[in-house]
Amino acid sequence: MATKVEQLYGQEHFDSAYFQALKEWLSTQKFKRGIEIGFAWGMSALAYLETQDSNLISLDMEDNMQKSKGINEVFPGRWKLITGDSSTNLSKQENKFDYIYIDGDHTYGGCMADLQAAHPKLDKDGVIVCDDYGNPCGVKRAVDKFCKQYGYGIEHMPRNPNGGVILKK
């Protein structure tokens, strides 16, 4: 039987190992306020919305995949997409978040800008989750430098084939 994400997006863009690993980890957590950078195929948004009782904001340059309609149909009133520059839009948020998921610009500069925007928006006991830590484009270098600069520890997300890491103070 097809999952909700497969029904919404089709199997050609569905990475079930990544989705399942993220969903498994999220199911062990209880977040009050979540935000993510990088909506794209919507798998991280769907994993969050299926496992948490709280709302989620997604930030992306645009909804060029036209997936927002499907997410809003499945989770009416629980999800919002804001388009434009992610670090700018995150900085504009009035609230703090206990879950910040970063899977946006994979360059060193783009990832570092997102991490630096996330730091002041993170609740005291919150986590920043970064996808693609093994990506050769710059994510690992940005995460390592950010963690050293701001005193975060790095935990690898179990069974995440994309190299997901959890950053905690």
Side-chain angles (χ1 to χ4, degrees), residues 31-101:
F31 295 113
K32 296 176 193 150
R33 186 173 284 124
I35 192 164
E36 71 169 349
I37 293 174
F39 172 64
W41 294 107
M43 286 186 281
S44 55
L46 188 63
Y48 182 92
L49 292 165
E50 284 188 354
T51 59
Q52 303 298 306
D53 291 328
S54 58
N55 295 346
L56 178 71
I57 298 170
S58 296
L59 307 175
D60 209 319
M61 290 302 292
E62 57 188 33
D63 185 18
N64 61 358
M65 315 265 187
Q66 298 298 306
K67 303 303 175 200
S68 59
K69 184 176 182 227
I71 292 280
N72 277 323
E73 287 174 1
V74 176
F75 298 99
R78 290 197 44 218
W79 177 79
K80 178 180 180 181
L81 174 65
I82 300 172
T83 58
D85 180 72
S86 55
S87 57
T88 301
N89 283 328
L90 180 55
S91 296
K92 289 179 181 178
Q93 296 298 310
E94 292 180 16
N95 295 316
K96 289 199 173 203
F97 300 89
D98 56 353
Y99 175 80
I100 300 175
Y101 184 85

